[in-house]
Amino acid sequence: VTGVVGRAELLSSIFFLAAFLSYTKSKGPDNTIVWTPIAVTVFLVAVATLCKEQGITVVGICCVYEVFIAQGYTLPVLLDTAVQILRGKGNIPFCMLQTLLKLIVLMFSTLLLVVVRVQVIQSQLPVFTRFDNPAAVSPSPARQLTFNYLLPVNAWLLLNPSELCCDWTMGTIPLVESLLDVRNVATLTFFSFLGSLIVFSLRYPGDSSKTVLMALCLIVLPFIPASNLFFPVGFVVAERVLYVPSMGFCILVAHGWRKLSNKSVLRKVSWVCLAVVLFTHALKTLHRNWDWESEYTLFMSALKVNKNNAKLWNNVGHALENEKNFERALQFFIQATQVQPDDIGAHMNVGRTYKNLNKTKEAEESYMIAKSLMPQIIPGKKYAARVAPNHLNVYINLANLIRANESRLEEADQLYRQAISMRPDFKQAYISRGELLLKMNKPLKAKEAYLRALELDRTNADLWYNLAIVYIELKDPTEALKNFNRALELNPAHKLALFNSALLMQESGDARLRPEAKQRLLHYVKEEPQDANGYFNLGMLAMDDKKDTEAEAWMKKAIRLQPNFRSALFNLALLYSQTAKELMALPVLEDLLRYYPDHTKGLILKGDILMNQKKDIVGAKMCFEKILELDPNNVQGKHNLCVVYFEERDLIKAEKCLVETLALAPHEEYIQRHLNIVRSKIASLSATEQSSLPADGTAAAAEKKKSFQNLKEMKNEQKTTQTTVDNKTGHSKNKKLAEKNSMDKETPKKSTKEIKDIEKKRVAALKRLEEIERILNGE
């Protein structure tokens, strides 16, 4: 009775007893009717029925009490009175009419409750599988023989509760399939004993017979709904349904003990027996309490009683699975499949555990076995079959397993569609299929799947989020943002919707959306304080707003949480270089290149700083050469290396380098102009050497060096500016279908404002380039 269902039994029994006690006060002086207790009884019966259906059986106990206890009739008296009335030799006594009136009121209220209950279940009985109650789907006479045998089994549990089990479904009690089964003897013995008690209680007057009658009513009537005799139930035996019948059983035992104790010969023996019963049952209760310590101890205690119930083996496996003890859980799940080879759920449990153990091949084999046990499609034939809803997950689990293989995506899609065909309102199948279709680069079909799922459940924030991701794939950021907002309306703490909607606002380039994006990112970092991505993107927003100090603080926090955060390291260095703190950028770049030695943009930025700020030509040259080792066709790195050659006064090598660079980017005018300038200076230098004094040559060389230095700084500034813009969008998350994976690559997306900034800087750079060219050409 420590489970939720058991507590419902307890609650029902409280109102059950209260209704009966209230009815006992309905008889007034001179056998008059007191209606208030009857009204209270009807109300309490309704409440008891709401707690548990068998609460309605208290009406039958009230009727028996009214006829045989309150009015004192016996069965022979009632038969004689009925015979006299039918023969016309007498009238119905007034007291009997009053009794009939009370009984009619009780029966009418009961009928009304039954009608309401039938309406609640929509005139359909619950559907149970053959695993819940095997006898319910068995043919005759096994069904009738087994159901009747279950009655003495329950009686034995009341008489000798030594072997208790929390679950009696599936193969706990083998079917009684033949009249020659020895267990039929127990059934005959039970009915013989019960019949003799019923005859004694109804035939003879006296307190003893009345006590036995009320005890039998408390035993039999509350048990009838769970007896399988009128309609099948979802269990074979359930100890909880014996709670109210145990009251009648205790009355019967107490009455029998009192009869024995009144005899002087058996008085001492009866007291000894009572003491032994109380002591042993107290010990049993104490021991049983430890069985309920946890799920694992409870189901293990059940396995000591019954090893033929696959559900118990599965439940022990689930308990171990919750403790992440997958190896032991697998042993119990496999045993469940051996006890019940056709149990789909057991094979699914085996497959799931194999998957948790990263044994995908074995997991797929188990799922395939479970799938083979499902109703199969018969070509050209239509038929109906009942399938447990959770068993349809075998298609989902199998599809989720095999879709990790890129070559089997179509096969996974077929499984999702098969699940949907068997249950058109299977929401999870639509969600999983939508994820797969996105992976297959079919966003339009993914959109259809999510829209169908939303028809089934419009209050699911995850569905709106996934639909937003589809619109991102469809290049429709406006609709994506609407769906993100819808997800946040349903769940304001939806982490992925907060983060990705903020990124979408940031990437839109609309300055009006930045405050809201910042608020969402602040909410996100409150929910996920250990995720460096949130702080990084707050830094990106601050850079967009030209709040350099704030941006620096957010970047540093992101790096503290994730020291190898690629984009945070680069953009912090970039921030320093933009704010005239180039020397502070160098240690950050050193960290970046220690984690990512092939970070081309980091190498370019470091080379620029070394050449322009530190005047470390050798260090800059090493950076640019490293870039060309990684990517020989990198135009920017090669051009900057040409500048280094010129800085080293190697004009011939610089000319050759610029020729090679121009071959890589023939449409870049600045490379052609620089090549022309270098060639012009080579020619000019040659002419000067022939016609001028050495001092003049030195002055010309100095002028050349200064001019080309300006060219180099200008060009590096231009390239650095381009690098800044290229990396401004920074770090983002994989926005695919609620799976958050951290990425550390700079995204190439640029806002409209950023593009305008690039154009302005390019125009300024070109003007400076023209001035330098005029100086170098001697204009």
Side-chain angles (χ1 to χ4, degrees):
V1 293
T2 61
V4 174
V5 181
R7 291 174 188 177
E9 299 281 351
L10 294 179
L11 194 60
S12 177
S13 67
I14 292 173
F15 293 109
F16 182 100
L17 292 175
F20 176 67
L21 292 175
S22 175
Y23 185 80
T24 59
K25 299 176 182 178
S26 64
K27 181 179 179 181
D30 300 326
N31 208 22
T32 57
I33 300 176
V34 182
W35 290 105
T36 301
I38 294 177
V40 173
T41 297
V42 172
F43 172 75
L44 292 173
V45 169
V47 176
T49 305
L50 290 174
C51 297
K52 203 67 179 175
E53 289 84 350
Q54 54 261 43
I56 202 170
T57 58
V58 70
V59 173
I61 295 175
C62 292
C63 292
V64 173
Y65 171 83
E66 177 66 30
V67 174
F68 295 100
I69 308 301
Q71 302 301 328
Y73 296 121
T74 60
L75 187 60
V77 171
L78 290 175
L79 291 175
D80 289 342
T81 303
V83 170
Q84 293 296 327
I85 293 172
L86 291 174
R87 290 179 178 179
K89 295 182 179 181
N91 297 321
I92 301 175
F94 179 73
C95 61
M96 189 171 288
L97 288 175
Q98 285 185 312
T99 301
L100 286 174
L101 179 61
K102 293 169 71 174
L103 296 181
I104 289 172
V105 171
L106 285 177
M107 298 305 295
F108 179 78
S109 62
T110 303
L111 182 62
L112 183 62
L113 286 173
V114 171
V115 171
V116 172
R117 182 68 179 94
V118 170
Q119 290 298 319
V120 169
I121 63 174
Q122 299 179 350
S123 303
Q124 292 182 347
L125 290 173
V127 177
F128 303 109
T129 67
R130 59 189 178 86
F131 300 112
D132 298 322
N133 191 351
V137 295
S138 299
S140 300
R143 176 176 178 172
Q144 290 74 20
L145 292 175
T146 303
F147 282 160
N148 283 284
Y149 171 68
L150 294 179
L151 300 177
V153 170
N154 282 277
W156 180 251
L157 284 175
L158 287 174
L159 183 64
N160 181 31
S162 60
E163 293 185 345
L164 299 178
C165 182
C166 61
D167 190 280
W168 294 79
T169 56
M170 303 187 85
T172 303
I173 298 177
L175 297 175
V176 182
E177 298 178 323
S178 170
L179 291 172
L180 300 178
D181 195 310
V182 69
R183 289 174 293 177
N184 290 321
V185 176
T187 304
L188 293 173
T189 303
F190 168 78
F191 279 108
S192 299
F193 182 71
L194 181 64
S196 61
L197 287 178
I198 292 174
V199 170
F200 170 78
S201 61
L202 293 177
R203 184 172 183 179
Y204 301 104
D207 292 340
S208 180
S209 61
K210 292 179 180 179
T211 301
V212 172
L213 178 62
M214 291 307 301
L216 289 176
C217 287
L218 283 171
I219 293 173
V220 175
L221 294 180
F223 184 74
I224 286 177
S227 64
N228 286 291
L229 298 179
F230 296 99
F231 48 82
V233 295
F235 51 83
V236 180
V237 174
E239 295 163 10
R240 55 184 170 77
V241 301
L242 295 176
Y243 186 74
V244 175
S246 68
M247 300 177 190
F249 183 76
C250 290
I251 292 173
L252 202 60
V253 171
H255 179 66
W257 178 84
R258 187 178 65 176
K259 287 287 188 181
L260 292 176
S261 63
N262 287 337
K263 297 181 180 180
S264 57
V265 178
L266 300 175
R267 180 173 300 173
K268 292 182 179 180
V269 175
S270 64
W271 279 101
V272 170
C273 291
L274 178 62
V276 170
V277 169
L278 291 176
F279 179 73
T280 54
H281 281 65
L283 287 179
K284 178 63 178 177
T285 301
L286 181 63
H287 181 266
R288 183 62 172 165
N289 286 336
W290 289 107
D291 291 341
W292 286 85
E293 181 181 8
S294 65
E295 287 188 358
Y296 175 76
T297 56
L298 176 64
F299 295 125
M300 283 300 293
S301 69
L303 282 177
K304 295 176 183 177
V305 176
N306 173 31
K307 299 186 185 314
N308 296 322
N309 188 341
K311 189 175 180 180
L312 294 176
W313 293 98
N314 281 321
N315 286 341
V316 175
H318 287 311
L320 292 169
E321 188 179 32
N322 292 336
E323 298 174 359
K324 307 300 180 184
N325 192 345
F326 299 120
E327 292 287 353
R328 284 198 64 202
L330 181 61
Q331 297 175 9
F332 284 90
F333 288 142
I334 291 176
Q335 183 63 33
T337 62
Q338 294 174 354
V339 171
Q340 192 84 39
D342 57 350
D343 183 7
I344 297 173
H347 291 286
M348 290 173 62
N349 293 335
V350 173
R352 185 181 62 254
T353 310
Y354 273 130
K355 182 181 179 182
N356 290 331
L357 292 171
N358 296 320
K359 297 181 179 180
T360 55
K361 181 180 179 182
E362 292 84 350
E364 183 177 349
E365 290 174 356
S366 297
Y367 283 139
M368 291 300 293
I369 294 173
K371 180 175 173 287
S372 67
L373 295 172
M374 295 288 288
Q376 302 298 309
I377 297 175
I378 302 176
K381 183 178 180 181
K382 183 183 293 186
Y383 69 99
R386 292 191 180 276
V387 179
N390 63 310
H391 287 172
L392 288 175
N393 286 324
V394 67
Y395 297 102
I396 306 299
N397 295 344
L398 181 57
N400 291 342
L401 182 69
I402 67 175
R403 78 181 195 183
N405 186 341
E406 296 289 339
S407 64
R408 303 181 68 184
L409 297 182
E410 289 292 344
E411 185 181 348
D413 187 36
Q414 177 62 31
L415 288 168
Y416 290 135
R417 285 187 278 124
Q418 190 172 353
I420 291 171
S421 68
M422 298 182 73
R423 184 182 173 188
D425 62 345
F426 195 179
K427 180 181 66 177
Q428 187 56 48
Y430 289 107
I431 295 174
S432 298
R433 185 166 185 249
E435 296 174 2
L436 177 67
L437 290 170
L438 267 182
K439 188 175 182 180
M440 298 171 67
N441 197 26
K442 297 179 180 180
L444 289 176
K445 289 188 176 181
K447 176 183 172 183
E448 293 176 4
Y450 285 132
L451 289 175
R452 181 69 182 94
L454 281 171
E455 292 177 8
L456 301 172
D457 182 8
R458 300 191 65 82
T459 61
N460 189 321
D462 290 335
L463 280 174
W464 291 101
Y465 170 81
N466 290 347
L467 188 58
I469 300 302
V470 172
Y471 279 114
I472 289 176
E473 294 293 326
L474 292 172
K475 311 301 182 187
D476 191 347
T478 303
E479 283 299 319
L481 189 56
K482 288 180 181 179
N483 286 282
F484 278 138
N485 293 338
R486 179 61 175 158
L488 290 171
E489 288 175 10
L490 295 170
N491 181 11
H494 196 292
K495 300 174 186 177
L496 291 173
L498 285 169
F499 184 87
N500 287 294
S501 63
L503 283 188
L504 197 60
M505 292 176 178
Q506 182 182 2
E507 292 172 0
S508 69
D510 189 346
R512 295 171 298 177
L513 295 177
R514 287 180 192 163
E516 178 62 23
K518 182 176 180 180
Q519 290 302 314
R520 294 189 182 186
L521 285 173
L522 288 172
H523 192 173
Y524 175 79
V525 297
K526 184 179 179 181
E527 296 288 334
E528 288 285 342
Q530 298 303 313
D531 188 359
N533 298 293
Y535 301 106
F536 170 77
N537 283 282
L538 281 167
M540 288 287 96
L541 275 176
M543 289 179 69
D544 290 339
D545 291 332
K546 308 303 180 184
K547 298 178 180 178
D548 298 331
T549 304
E550 182 181 340
E552 180 183 353
W554 289 124
M555 292 293 183
K556 286 182 175 179
K557 191 161 189 178
I559 293 169
R560 280 198 299 272
L561 290 172
Q562 188 178 333
N564 64 339
F565 198 153
R566 176 186 176 116
S567 296
L569 288 166
F570 178 77
N571 283 280
L572 179 59
L574 204 57
L575 178 63
Y576 284 141
S577 69
Q578 289 177 329
T579 54
K581 299 177 182 178
E582 289 87 350
L583 298 182
M584 294 179 65
L586 280 177
V588 180
L589 288 170
E590 292 291 347
D591 291 339
L592 173 65
L593 295 172
R594 184 173 71 253
Y595 291 117
Y596 308 101
D598 58 347
H599 197 291
T600 304
K601 295 175 182 178
L603 288 167
I604 290 175
L605 184 58
K606 182 182 177 183
D608 289 341
I609 294 173
L610 289 175
M611 186 164 57
N612 295 327
Q613 304 298 323
K614 297 278 286 185
K615 308 302 180 184
D616 184 357
I617 304 301
V618 176
K621 184 177 182 180
M622 292 175 62
C623 291
F624 299 138
E625 287 176 343
K626 175 69 174 176
I627 293 171
L628 294 178
E629 288 178 12
L630 298 170
D631 181 9
N633 297 324
N634 189 294
V635 176
Q636 189 174 348
K638 195 167 186 65
H639 175 269
N640 287 359
L641 184 61
C642 299
V643 175
V644 171
Y645 291 149
F646 186 85
E647 185 68 24
E648 293 176 338
R649 303 182 183 182
D650 192 342
L651 296 180
I652 301 301
K653 199 168 185 179
E655 179 189 18
K656 180 181 178 183
C657 178
L658 285 169
V659 170
E660 294 174 354
T661 308
L662 184 62
L664 293 174
H667 302 293
E668 292 289 350
E669 295 182 3
Y670 73 92
I671 300 175
Q672 181 64 60
R673 286 200 300 271
H674 291 174
L675 177 60
N676 294 337
I677 292 171
V678 170
R679 286 174 173 172
S680 175
K681 296 308 296 183
I682 291 174
S684 176
L685 185 60
S686 298
T688 303
E689 289 175 351
Q690 293 176 3
S691 61
S692 301
L693 295 174
D696 295 338
T698 304
E703 182 182 354
K704 174 210 67 174
K705 176 182 176 182
K706 181 178 178 182
S707 299
F708 207 90
Q709 174 66 27
N710 291 335
L711 170 64
K712 174 202 66 176
E713 290 177 356
M714 178 278 298
K715 200 61 225 173
N716 287 340
E717 179 183 349
Q718 180 189 19
K719 287 301 178 179
T720 302
T721 301
Q722 291 174 352
T723 304
T724 302
V725 178
D726 287 343
N727 290 275
K728 198 63 181 290
T729 52
H731 187 76
S732 65
K733 285 188 177 181
N734 183 357
K735 309 183 204 57
K736 297 286 181 160
L737 312 164
E739 297 177 2
K740 182 180 69 174
N741 296 314
S742 178
M743 295 174 63
D744 60 355
K745 297 181 179 178
E746 294 79 23
T747 59
K749 296 181 181 178
K750 305 179 184 66
S751 66
T752 303
K753 182 177 181 301
E754 290 170 335
I755 293 172
K756 290 180 180 178
D757 289 342
I758 294 173
E759 294 302 323
K760 289 179 181 178
K761 291 173 181 176
R762 284 180 175 174
V763 170
L766 288 173
K767 287 181 179 179
R768 292 182 60 190
L769 179 60
E770 290 173 359
E771 293 176 1
I772 292 171
E773 289 174 352
R774 283 198 300 270
I775 293 171
L776 294 176
N777 292 327
E779 295 178 1

